Amino acid sequence: MYTAEQQKFQYKCWTNLANIDRDIVAELATIWDEADAIQDRFYRDLVFGTGGLSGVIGAGINRMNVYTVGKATQGYCNYLNVSDKNNSVCIAYDSRNKSKLFAETAAGIFAANDIKVYIYPELMPTPSLSFAVRYFHAN
């Protein structure tokens, strides 16, 4: 949990640095004077659930966005790069909001870490991803 001062600091950092997703920039501009809205977005890091990262899409460390996806992806890259595992991943996306953007963000981070990426070029059902992971012997 972050203090009110830390939350305000995080908000200011995000307003100065967020530039990948225009929706985030616009959202941050609308909440500049709303302490409750800032607190809700910045009081803690988004947590993993039983199905992985999941949450409200929006700006902040307690939201699903390209930055939280990127942070989690980099953590997985760090794990793969020190393990004896095959350094390859498969990525698919579905029709949920920003799913394709999140998939492309993750793929770019994996590639930047010299991890081979197999990414579907279109919407795919979950069983297709399961098949690809087994077919390519990916992580």
Side-chain angles (χ1 to χ4, degrees), residues 14-64:
W14 276 63
T15 57
N16 290 330
L17 300 174
N19 61 11
I20 293 173
D21 185 340
R22 284 184 272 155
D23 293 341
I24 289 175
V25 175
E27 181 180 339
L28 290 170
T30 65
I31 64 165
W32 68 271
D33 64 345
E34 298 178 33
D36 290 343
I38 291 172
Q39 178 186 11
D40 189 43
R41 288 163 176 80
F42 294 98
Y43 82 100
R44 69 172 187 173
D45 291 310
L46 188 63
V47 296
F48 273 87
T50 54
L53 270 183
S54 165
V56 175
I57 292 177
I61 58 176
N62 188 34
R63 295 286 190 268
M64 283 293 297

